[in-house]
Amino acid sequence: MLSPILDFFSSDPKDKKLKNAIEHIIGENPSNLTLYRLAFMHASVSKETVSKSYRESNERLEFLGDSVLGMITAEYLFKKFPFKDEGFLTEIRSRMVSRESLNVVARKMGIDKLVEYDGNRKTVLTRTSMYGDAFEALIGAIYLDKGFRFTRSFIIKKILTQHFDIETVVSNNPNFKSLIIEWAQREGKAIRFDIVEEGSKHNKEFTATIFVAEEAFSVGQGYSKKKAEQTAAMKACEKLEIS
Amino acid sequence: MLSPILDFFSSDPKDKKLKNAIEHIIGENPSNLTLYRLAFMHASVSKETVSKSYRESNERLEFLGDSVLGMITAEYLFKKFPFKDEGFLTEIRSRMVSRESLNVVARKMGIDKLVEYDGNRKTVLTRTSMYGDAFEALIGAIYLDKGFRFTRSFIIKKILTQHFDIETVVSNNPNFKSLIIEWAQREGKAIRFDIVEEGSKHNKEFTATIFVAEEAFSVGQGYSKKKAEQTAAMKACEKLEIS
């Protein structure tokens, strides 16, 4: 890895461009550019490391950033909705940090222009979550570079309050179950929902599996049977590109 | 809610006992005792609030604490294993913060003696995750009371390094799939595993559903088919109390 000191003296125009872009996104000079470079390195252009079993890409930073984003969003919603139960908070958070909505936010922030990936595999990647993933990796990089307070304020100011209208997130609930049932009828395929119950009496979680022509097709979880079915149906709709 | 000032002057012997217990666990005087009182309030003794639709219990704090614990554990493992991929980090984290292991840590810390619940419903609750849940709620309370740095150091020093031998966590992998198949054979029941694939090319997640006598019985997820099956099998073993 390059040290921050080397980054500072780097005159590579690509580094300059990245530095400016990061400064524009986070509102401060990056201290360790190497972290941000890594955040935008998709697995398709991953690099060898000293360890033979590990190739360097943004996937580790994504793991870290995902947990930081989840935690800050949890705290934000906990404080914003003092009289809503944990089922509600879990549900709203999962809508806000879903791959779909992170992809949208990432594009709005211009992160799609920063991600490095292997262009030859582009067709495989077009419909994937590459930008949302890089966005989470960026959050991991910011956390390591700038610490918790800075990252918390970045997430709240630049993401949660700027890119989401909470009222809309709360009320937005398309009926995916109807959509998928209509699709199956159109296609003449048998469809059924299977529900499994788990957890304690006071904290039940449900898992719904959708079977199309007796083949397991998608799975969803939730704090009610209805929610689990909705999630499974949403994933099935995504798979089939129905909306 | 009682203010911290009122807490300070409280002479209720129950409050004194709680204050001492918290000080013993976190190594510092609690500033806002109300938060900790709430952390140990199981849903079976939940209280009415000004909002008719919400009853106060530790479930909201558990939601918050779960995300704080997940994040700190993510950072800890990220730094401890610089050459392991995100699949490994995800897997080890889920073992460390599983309900099972949190229940064990909670008992070791004496949290089982602090939880308030409705004794009449005890039989229903004995085999649940009540103590692990309260432990997560405690982490939520510490975070709100003492802030991020304190909570981070508490989690690393008092939980991650003290209660877990990482080598053991990494190597410990009982074969739940064999156990559940043996059980089904003993009972003369048909058993099968169904796998659903999700996610992008480079970040595939699998969901396995176990069917016993053609009824969906348990569900597991993981970054490989094997892992998803193992998780589903582990949950089935828990349900059947096999180990």
Side-chain angles (χ1 to χ4, degrees):
Chain A
M1 277 201 188
L2 283 176
S3 75
I5 265 306
L6 275 172
D7 281 343
F8 184 77
F9 290 110
S10 162
S11 55
D12 185 334
K14 237 177 105 186
D15 280 355
K16 272 250 165 69
K17 190 194 144 208
L18 179 63
K19 199 163 158 283
N20 289 339
I22 299 299
E23 207 183 324
H24 182 74
I25 293 170
I26 73 172
E28 204 172 281
N29 243 319
S31 307
N32 185 348
L33 203 60
T34 312
L35 285 168
Y36 299 91
R37 219 181 276 126
L38 188 59
F40 298 126
M41 189 190 289
H42 185 263
S44 59
V45 291
S46 64
K47 283 182 187 151
E48 275 188 18
T49 65
V50 291
S51 163
K52 276 181 192 157
S53 62
Y54 173 65
R55 293 177 63 88
E56 202 173 47
S57 77
N58 66 0
E59 292 181 337
R60 280 168 46 86
L61 278 175
E62 181 198 336
F63 165 76
L64 179 63
D66 172 79
S67 75
V68 174
L69 178 63
M71 190 223 133
I72 306 295
T73 310
E75 185 194 356
Y76 175 78
L77 295 173
F78 181 94
K79 289 178 173 167
K80 191 167 181 72
F81 297 105
F83 297 116
K84 291 290 190 180
D85 67 25
E86 77 296 349
F88 174 90
L89 301 176
T90 304
E91 166 64 25
I92 299 304
R93 180 176 62 171
S94 79
R95 286 188 203 170
M96 291 177 89
V97 301
S98 73
R99 267 292 158 282
E100 208 177 33
S101 67
L102 291 184
N103 270 330
V104 174
V105 176
R107 278 171 201 271
K108 278 193 199 169
M109 286 188 157
I111 285 166
D112 50 333
K113 287 169 197 76
L114 298 168
V115 179
E116 273 192 86
Y117 58 92
D118 183 344
N120 294 325
R121 307 194 208 168
K122 200 175 172 183
T123 46
V124 182
L125 297 168
T126 12
R127 290 196 45 83
T128 70
S129 54
M130 186 165 62
Y131 303 132
D133 295 348
F135 181 47
E136 286 189 332
L138 171 65
I139 292 169
I142 298 171
Y143 175 68
L144 294 176
D145 189 37
K146 299 286 178 186
F148 181 73
R149 288 171 67 96
F150 184 92
T151 310
R152 181 170 175 276
S153 131
F154 169 77
I155 290 174
I156 293 174
K157 283 186 204 152
K158 302 267 174 96
I159 307 171
L160 301 181
T161 49
Q162 196 162 317
H163 290 286
F164 292 99
D165 175 30
I166 288 274
E167 299 306 318
T168 312
V169 176
V170 170
S171 63
N172 184 15
N173 210 357
N175 192 344
F176 292 109
K177 193 178 174 183
S178 313
L179 286 173
I180 190 72
I181 290 173
E182 282 161 22
W183 168 85
Q185 283 169 343
R186 242 180 1 251
E187 300 283 321
K189 289 184 198 285
I191 187 165
R192 67 182 175 87
F193 289 70
D194 234 342
I195 300 266
V196 182
E197 204 176 296
E198 261 158 4
S200 65
K201 197 190 168 200
H202 293 279
N203 197 20
K204 261 183 196 147
E205 260 198 283
F206 299 88
T207 304
T209 309
I210 298 181
F211 289 83
V212 175
E214 292 307 307
E215 289 269 334
F217 189 75
S218 72
V219 175
Q221 275 158 328
Y223 281 85
S224 68
K225 287 183 187 180
K226 200 178 159 187
K227 173 61 197 151
E229 286 187 344
Q230 267 290 94
T231 309
M234 187 189 74
K235 288 185 181 172
C237 287
E238 273 173 15
K239 248 185 177 172
L240 296 164
E241 304 181 23
I242 300 171
S243 67
Chain B
M1 278 204 189
L2 284 175
S3 75
I5 266 305
L6 275 172
D7 281 344
F8 184 77
F9 290 110
S10 163
S11 56
D12 185 334
K14 238 177 104 186
D15 279 357
K16 273 253 165 68
K17 191 194 144 207
L18 178 63
K19 198 162 159 283
N20 289 340
I22 299 299
E23 207 182 324
H24 182 74
I25 293 170
I26 73 172
E28 204 171 282
N29 243 320
S31 308
N32 184 348
L33 204 59
T34 312
L35 285 169
Y36 298 92
R37 219 181 276 124
L38 188 60
F40 297 126
M41 189 190 289
H42 185 263
S44 58
V45 292
S46 62
K47 283 183 188 149
E48 275 187 17
T49 64
V50 291
S51 163
K52 277 181 192 159
S53 63
Y54 173 65
R55 294 178 63 86
E56 202 173 47
S57 77
N58 66 0
E59 292 181 336
R60 280 168 47 84
L61 278 175
E62 181 197 335
F63 165 76
L64 180 63
D66 172 78
S67 75
V68 174
L69 178 63
M71 189 222 133
I72 307 294
T73 310
E75 185 194 357
Y76 175 77
L77 295 173
F78 181 95
K79 289 177 174 170
K80 193 166 180 73
F81 298 105
F83 296 116
K84 291 289 189 180
D85 67 27
E86 78 296 348
F88 174 90
L89 301 176
T90 304
E91 167 63 25
I92 299 303
R93 180 175 61 172
S94 78
R95 286 188 203 170
M96 291 178 90
V97 302
S98 73
R99 267 293 157 281
E100 209 177 34
S101 68
L102 291 184
N103 270 330
V104 174
V105 177
R107 278 170 201 269
K108 278 193 199 169
M109 285 188 158
I111 285 166
D112 50 334
K113 287 168 197 77
L114 298 168
V115 178
E116 274 191 86
Y117 58 91
D118 184 344
N120 294 325
R121 306 194 208 168
K122 201 179 169 180
T123 45
V124 182
L125 297 168
T126 11
R127 290 196 45 84
T128 70
S129 54
M130 186 165 61
Y131 303 132
D133 295 349
F135 181 49
E136 286 189 332
L138 171 65
I139 291 169
I142 298 171
Y143 175 68
L144 294 176
D145 189 36
K146 298 286 178 186
F148 181 73
R149 286 173 68 96
F150 184 92
T151 310
R152 181 170 176 276
S153 129
F154 169 77
I155 290 174
I156 293 175
K157 282 188 207 153
K158 302 268 173 95
I159 306 171
L160 301 181
T161 50
Q162 196 161 315
H163 291 286
F164 292 99
D165 175 30
I166 289 272
E167 298 305 317
T168 311
V169 176
V170 171
S171 63
N172 184 15
N173 210 357
N175 193 343
F176 291 108
K177 192 177 173 185
S178 313
L179 286 172
I180 190 71
I181 290 173
E182 282 162 22
W183 168 85
Q185 283 170 342
R186 243 182 356 254
E187 300 284 321
K189 290 183 199 286
I191 188 166
R192 66 182 175 88
F193 288 70
D194 234 343
I195 301 266
V196 182
E197 203 176 297
E198 262 157 2
S200 65
K201 198 190 167 200
H202 292 279
N203 197 18
K204 261 185 197 146
E205 259 198 284
F206 299 88
T207 303
T209 309
I210 298 181
F211 289 83
V212 174
E214 291 307 306
E215 290 268 334
F217 189 74
S218 71
V219 174
Q221 276 158 327
Y223 281 85
S224 67
K225 287 184 187 178
K226 201 178 158 186
K227 173 62 198 150
E229 286 187 346
Q230 266 291 94
T231 309
M234 187 189 74
K235 288 186 179 172
C237 288
E238 274 175 13
K239 247 186 178 172
L240 296 164
E241 304 181 24
I242 300 170
S243 68

